[in-house]
Amino acid sequence: MSKKRVLTGVTTTGIPHLGNYVGAIRPAVRAAQNPDTESFLFLADYHGIIKCHEPEMIHQSTQAVAATWLACGLDPERTTFYRQSDIPEVMELNWILTCITAKGLMNRAHAYKAAVQANAENIRKTPTTV
């Protein structure tokens, strides 16, 4: 029987909150405790630079999020636990995939749809000058 794989992370843009715990941390820690599961859990600091333009905040948040994962029971001996920016191949693969991903596939991604909607709302709110 093949192992189930879990991949998730928490964006490092502030102090971890209940949504992080309920939505990502608790389910991932539970899954990682299963011997039939191979877990890859990460600190999404590259994701963080999109939302937060304060390097010191991202650094502090990276430490807070890591401490939260560990305090919630993450066993780093059984789990691959890493900071996204420590693996340059993540960004390289992202760049390659974004160069070849069809727009139709992107339209189905919830994060992409949310970003498009937020941009559209910002455009409507911004006064135009002629």
Side-chain angles (χ1 to χ4, degrees), residues 28-76:
V29 168
R30 284 184 181 163
Q33 293 169 343
N34 183 338
D36 294 327
T37 301
E38 191 176 17
S39 294
F40 300 88
L41 311 176
F42 64 96
L43 304 163
D45 58 339
Y46 276 146
H47 285 68
I49 62 175
I50 295 169
K51 299 176 184 176
C52 178
H53 302 108
E54 299 174 41
E56 186 56 34
M57 170 61 95
I58 291 176
H59 176 71
Q60 290 173 359
S61 179
T62 299
Q63 292 177 334
V65 173
T68 301
W69 278 103
L70 296 170
C72 289
L74 175 70
D75 181 358

Side-chain angles (χ1 to χ4, degrees), residues 9 50 80 84 95 113 121-122 127:
I50 295 169
T80 302
Q84 194 177 36
W95 182 78
K113 289 190 290 188
E121 290 171 2
N122 284 338

Side-chain angles (χ1 to χ4, degrees), residues 15-24:
I15 301 302
H17 51 76
L18 189 56
N20 298 131
Y21 174 71
V22 173

Side-chain angles (χ1 to χ4, degrees), residues 115-125:
V116 168
Q117 181 178 353
N119 286 337
E121 290 171 2
N122 284 338
I123 289 170
R124 284 191 287 266
K125 292 178 186 176

